[in-house]
Amino acid sequence: MRIGLIGLGRIGAFHADTLAALDRVDELVVTDPVAGAVDAVTARIGKATAAASPEALLDSGVDGVVIAAVTAAHAELLLASAGRGIPTFCEKPIAGSADEAVAVRDRLAGSTVPVQIGYPRRFDPAFVAARDAVRAGELGRVHTVRSTTLDPAPPPAAYLAGSGGLFRDCSVHDFDAVRWVTGREAVEVYAVGAVDPDAPAEYYADNGDWSTASVLITLDDGAIGVVSNTRTNARGYDVRLEVHGVADAVAAGLDEGLPLRPTQPGLTWPAGPPHTFFMDRLAEAFRRELATFCAVAAGEIDSPCTIGDAMGTAWIAEAATLSAREGRPVRIDEVAR
């Protein structure tokens, strides 16, 4: 297969290596506004060739396109790719705003071109096993789901300014995990946020954003989701999920790289070293996610995360943002449309 990759920043360059390592990818066509980023990838990856622009890439006869460009470009690129009939993978979010995402959803309503939105935890082996346990009824009635994402350090201020905020940029992975693992939808959200008092104003305060947050999610069967996030967890990158039922409980992410220091005397687990970034904690998940997209592009399977599915997660992020700003619970039907 010939796969196009638009955007070669932090995640795009990582995806380039992952795609190039897949046996079924014979050629990788890449483009980015920064020439140096393109040169670095084509020099490092023998099967990668450069396209002068996204338009040139989309017109080059690729079998599928992976969009890893800046968030503000997602909607335009997604519509352009799908409009040409090319199977498309787009990193979350669908667009830079809820209005844009709705417009994309409506424009592509009825389209037969497969689109997959990137939520890699759906492909993490431990998260998959947790979901399987829930679906098999092994836990009995699920009453509580806890999902955690703790970043070791914040991204650059310029990234944060255009990210859409902590709930839309970071917490969405937890929101999606809660929905996907339980198979339930959210009906109400209550969120609180705090700002690191030592952080420069351009990181959070100037953007009306938060560095740390917690969210309570009421699901449509009465179960409760508990989401915890922070931009500053110096010990490492912490991604975990707990699912508690009346009959049993399971946890994902309790490996030797878990960035926690035990205080119980004589306990040596986890041995470490701690995970330092999503690229090491979720490397296998990304590999499986992109391999799955290749199967989607080949027409072998349906998209595992459609635009409609991803919108269910986006509405939780919108509700959480409004809840934290107004200090009240927000029902999903207040924001969803």
Side-chain angles (χ1 to χ4, degrees):
M1 301 181 73
R2 298 179 71 243
I3 299 295
L5 174 59
I6 303 175
L8 298 173
R10 182 177 64 180
I11 188 64
F14 179 71
H15 282 341
D17 291 328
T18 303
L19 286 163
L22 298 177
D23 289 341
R24 70 188 305 168
V25 176
D26 301 310
E27 183 182 355
L28 192 60
V29 184
V30 301
T31 190
D32 190 277
V34 179
V38 176
D39 293 341
V41 168
T42 54
R44 184 175 73 250
I45 300 173
K47 61 172 70 174
T49 59
S53 66
E55 293 75 18
L57 184 150
L58 294 174
D59 292 334
S60 67
V62 292
D63 300 302
V65 169
V66 173
I67 298 171
V70 295
T71 295
H74 284 191
E76 179 181 358
L77 291 171
L78 207 167
L79 289 172
S81 181
R84 287 169 167 80
I86 306 171
T88 305
F89 175 98
C90 182
E91 278 295 344
K92 67 83 191 164
I94 298 166
S97 70
D99 288 342
E100 279 189 298
V102 169
V104 171
R105 179 197 66 190
D106 293 348
R107 281 273 302 276
L108 295 180
S111 170
T112 59
V113 179
V115 174
Q116 180 179 335
I117 305 301
Y119 279 104
R121 292 178 208 189
R122 294 181 177 220
F123 301 89
D124 178 83
F127 278 70
V128 171
R131 180 178 188 266
D132 290 345
V134 171
R135 299 300 171 91
E138 296 173 13
L139 311 187
R141 179 179 59 82
V142 172
H143 55 76
T144 305
V145 186
R146 295 190 179 96
S147 188
T148 299
T149 302
L150 310 179
D151 288 332
Y159 173 88
L160 292 172
S163 69
L166 182 66
F167 298 114
R168 299 185 183 104
D169 176 59
C170 175
S171 309
V172 286
H173 290 289
D174 299 283
F175 301 155
D176 191 71
V178 169
R179 292 180 61 240
W180 182 73
V181 168
T182 63
R184 312 305 308 191
E185 295 294 346
V187 295
E188 187 175 84
V189 170
Y190 181 65
V192 295
V195 176
D196 179 356
D198 297 321
E202 61 265 28
Y203 273 67
Y204 310 111
D206 289 351
N207 302 314
D209 198 5
W210 302 270
S211 57
T212 300
S214 290
V215 185
L216 289 177
I217 305 171
T218 302
L219 299 175
D220 58 11
D221 64 347
I224 297 172
V226 183
V227 170
S228 299
N229 305 111
T230 190
R231 294 292 194 183
T232 309
N233 187 58
R235 187 163 184 84
Y237 181 67
D238 193 347
V239 168
R240 281 176 285 148
L241 177 84
E242 298 175 12
V243 189
H244 299 265
V246 296
D248 200 359
V250 295
L254 303 185
D255 59 24
E256 293 289 358
L258 177 67
L260 282 177
R261 180 168 58 87
T263 57
Q264 184 171 335
L267 186 64
T268 59
W269 177 88
H275 297 297
T276 58
F277 210 31
F278 66 83
M279 294 178 185
D280 64 282
R281 168 63 182 85
L282 296 169
E284 177 60 16
F286 281 114
R287 190 195 70 77
R288 293 186 181 203
E289 181 180 49
L290 292 176
T292 297
F293 171 65
C294 287
V296 170
E300 298 166 359
I301 60 173
D302 294 333
S303 169
C305 188
T306 64
I307 289 177
D309 191 6
M311 290 299 297
T313 294
W315 295 131
I316 302 177
E318 293 303 308
T321 301
L322 182 60
S323 175
R325 288 177 177 167
E326 297 190 355
R328 65 176 179 89
V330 174
R331 290 187 57 84
I332 297 300
D333 58 18
E334 288 186 54
V335 297
R337 54 190 187 279

